[in-house]
Amino acid sequence: GNVIFVDKNHVAIIAGLRIDPESGRPRFLIIANFDTSSPQSLELPPPHASGVKLSDQLSSTRIEWDLKGTLIELPPGGVGVYRIEYS
């Protein structure tokens, strides 16, 4: 398939990377917090290269996807849709 789940069996979050079939690299990260009463967070695995950014498609903000890992925090019932940008 073209989705790799990265939620590490989190009890409240589902997160997946959508893989571009042409390049074989992740192009989108989609993440959802199924806990409707508490915020939740997920530590993303390191990207495969440096200089990778997550462009939030819902708020137009950008996050550096650090080689040491990146923490994504979601409000109760929150979702995130991020386009993965390579430099």
Side-chain angles (χ1 to χ4, degrees), residues 22-45:
E22 291 181 19
S23 69
R25 298 193 306 185
R27 295 307 292 168
F28 287 92
L29 167 67
I30 299 156
I31 183 170
N33 178 6
F34 281 75
D35 185 336
T36 58
S37 60
S38 300
Q40 297 288 333
S41 61
L42 178 71
E43 181 80 27
L44 294 178

Side-chain angles (χ1 to χ4, degrees), residues 65-80:
W65 191 0
D66 196 301
L67 287 172
K68 297 176 188 166
T70 299
L71 187 69
I72 300 286
E73 297 181 17
L74 292 173
V79 296

Side-chain angles (χ1 to χ4, degrees), residues 1-83:
N2 59 358
V3 175
I4 298 171
F5 289 96
V6 293
D7 50 52
K8 304 176 189 173
N9 295 318
H10 194 286
V11 297
I13 287 180
I14 290 181
L17 294 170
R18 172 86 159 72
I19 307 301
D20 180 339
E22 291 181 19
S23 69
R25 298 193 306 185
R27 295 307 292 168
F28 287 92
L29 167 67
I30 299 156
I31 183 170
N33 178 6
F34 281 75
D35 185 336
T36 58
S37 60
S38 300
Q40 297 288 333
S41 61
L42 178 71
E43 181 80 27
L44 294 178
H48 297 292
S50 61
V52 178
K53 295 197 182 337
L54 300 174
S55 177
D56 189 326
Q57 301 298 285
L58 303 177
S59 72
S60 299
T61 60
R62 295 174 83 200
I63 301 168
E64 183 78 28
W65 191 0
D66 196 301
L67 287 172
K68 297 176 188 166
T70 299
L71 187 69
I72 300 286
E73 297 181 17
L74 292 173
V79 296
V81 179
Y82 302 92
R83 180 175 179 80

